[in-house]
Amino acid sequence: MRAMPISPRPVATKKPIGDRRLLAASLYAGMLLLSQGALAQTPGGASPSSPAPMTEHDSVRLGLARPDIATLIEATVASARSDVAEAGRWANPTLDIGRESIKSPLGQNTERTIELSQQFDVGGKRGLRRDAARERLAAVVADTEQRRVEIAAEIRQRFYEALYRQKLAAATGDWERRMSAIAETVKKLHQGGEVAGYDRRRMALERMTAQTRSRVEQAEYQKALLRLAALTGDPASPAEPAGDLIPPEPQALELLLARIDQRPALRAHERRAGASELDRQAARRAWIPDVTIGLGQKSAENGGARDSGTVLSVSVPLPFFDRGQTGQQRAAAQADISRSEARLLRTRLDGDARALWQQLKQLNAAARDYREQSTTGSRELVRIAEAAYQGGESSILELLDAYKAALEVEQRALELGWNARRAAIELDTIAGNGKL
């Protein structure tokens, strides 16, 4: 947008029209630069050696590739795999060595026994427990997938928070620079007697306010940037985010709801319910005792005579009292808990997805409409205020109010985009679209 010359109307005023034109031109130049560059401009100060801007995809990729996350996931899965190996492993054999000496009138009677025994699962309980451990391993794998989705959502939240703060800092920083330049113009005009002392003091106050707001927004941006860098790379040299705050339009609601059933957290509950069912089947077979079979050799010495023979033993516990009742009850309760948690989670996710989808549609439309209309509206407001000031129909107060309103419009447009983006990230996470 280019500034158009405005011919002031000849009105009675205490101030020369020339100084009003000079001051209004300075103000208008400041607003023009702000309106054209605030949405896309990043805070100044970046050196040529600064890291290249980082996109949302880059931030998620770098964040999930961190060694500590990979180690955490691998160790968690490895622990569950060890449980599977333990559940399917046979019991260790037992070696019994015995020696018994008895003195008798006929001499020393010595007996030696060596026996190796092994327990056998004749009821198939070990196989069921191994299958249950495999189901729990699948649940752990689903948990790690859910963990990755949540980490990706956190990274995306921090990325767009940094982007939002970046654009706010750019808008207020550019505003502060324009106010500083205009304040210097007013100061020079006041020294020449062309501007009243009140106008000079008011511009000095506006300049101080703009500087303070710029410093606050810059501090908020640096905080958000370092928090993002803590998840994606080296906080000592963070890369600045680049992208659009306003998200794309969401997919059809039916497609999003259909994807909820594939959410890793739901699959984990289903797998744990299956593992508990297998545990209950194993507990039902507790009435089938494990059989321990021993085989060995026994030798006896009586005086000078020595005899030896084979030892065969069978040991069977009698299931009179414990038939696995407690294990069956515990496993059935755990299965019911897992299924109930899955149903509750599914219902909540369905409701959240519907609500977020409706919210995102409205926020997206509001953000886009506001961004398209606010720029034209704020420029028209400033143009009218400038014309009134040049014509002597208003004071500098009304003109500054118009410029402050334009800045607030810019900030509101960014806020609407940030709110829409947060809703989009939450909806993506619920529907299992974590952009991994």
Side-chain angles (χ1 to χ4, degrees), residues 16 35 136 219 242-243 266 362 399 418:
S35 62
R136 291 190 175 89
L266 288 174
Q362 296 178 15
L399 186 59
W418 168 225

Side-chain angles (χ1 to χ4, degrees), residues 45 52 55 69 155 160 238-239 267 306 314 415 428:
T55 64
I69 292 181
I155 295 172
Y160 282 106
R267 289 192 279 112
R306 179 184 180 124
V314 178
E415 183 182 2
D428 285 344

Side-chain angles (χ1 to χ4, degrees), residues 387-414:
Y389 181 79
Q390 285 182 330
E393 299 175 359
S394 64
S395 67
I396 194 174
L397 297 180
E398 286 81 3
L399 186 59
L400 291 178
D401 287 341
Y403 277 84
K404 290 175 65 176
L407 178 61
E408 291 173 359
V409 165
E410 193 69 47
Q411 293 173 330
R412 181 57 178 164
L414 294 174

Side-chain angles (χ1 to χ4, degrees), residues 159-352:
F159 174 86
Y160 282 106
E161 180 184 4
L163 184 63
Y164 167 61
R165 293 295 177 183
Q166 177 198 75
K167 293 181 181 296
L168 276 180
T172 54
D174 193 58
W175 176 258
E176 184 271 329
R177 288 189 293 272
R178 301 289 79 76
M179 287 296 98
S180 296
I182 296 167
E184 289 297 326
T185 302
V186 172
K187 181 179 178 181
K188 293 178 180 179
L189 292 173
H190 175 263
Q191 291 174 352
E194 299 179 3
V195 172
Y198 176 83
D199 290 349
R200 182 187 64 81
R201 292 184 179 89
R202 180 57 191 268
M203 280 306 308
L205 180 62
E206 290 295 330
R207 179 182 187 179
M208 182 179 63
T209 301
Q211 289 175 341
T212 302
R213 292 178 64 179
S214 177
R215 292 173 65 181
V216 170
E217 292 299 340
Q218 185 65 29
E220 290 292 337
Y221 169 56
Q222 290 299 323
K223 173 186 174 183
L225 186 62
L226 291 176
R227 291 183 65 200
L228 172 63
L231 295 182
T232 59
D234 184 9
S237 57
E240 293 188 350
D244 189 1
L245 272 178
I246 301 179
E249 287 297 315
Q251 293 181 331
L253 180 60
E254 292 74 15
L255 296 177
L256 295 176
L257 295 178
R259 287 212 306 264
I260 291 180
D261 290 330
Q262 300 302 317
R263 183 178 171 88
L266 288 174
R267 289 192 279 112
H269 286 309
E270 294 169 358
R271 291 289 194 168
R272 288 192 174 92
S276 297
E277 283 294 339
L278 291 170
D279 286 337
R280 184 166 65 169
Q281 294 179 29
R284 285 176 177 174
R285 300 185 184 184
W287 65 272
I288 305 176
D290 294 340
V291 178
T292 302
I293 299 178
L295 181 64
Q297 186 180 38
K298 183 175 182 179
S299 62
E301 294 183 4
N302 188 2
R306 179 184 180 124
D307 296 320
S308 63
T310 301
V311 177
L312 177 64
S313 65
V314 178
S315 175
V316 180
L318 301 179
F320 288 157
F321 308 106
D322 183 8
R323 296 185 179 89
Q325 304 94 322
T326 303
Q328 293 181 52
Q329 295 173 1
R330 182 185 303 108
Q334 290 295 333
D336 290 342
I337 290 173
S338 297
R339 293 192 185 98
S340 297
E341 289 180 344
R343 287 192 294 267
L344 290 172
L345 179 60
R346 180 64 176 81
T347 302
R348 181 175 63 82
L349 292 175
D350 186 275
D352 289 347

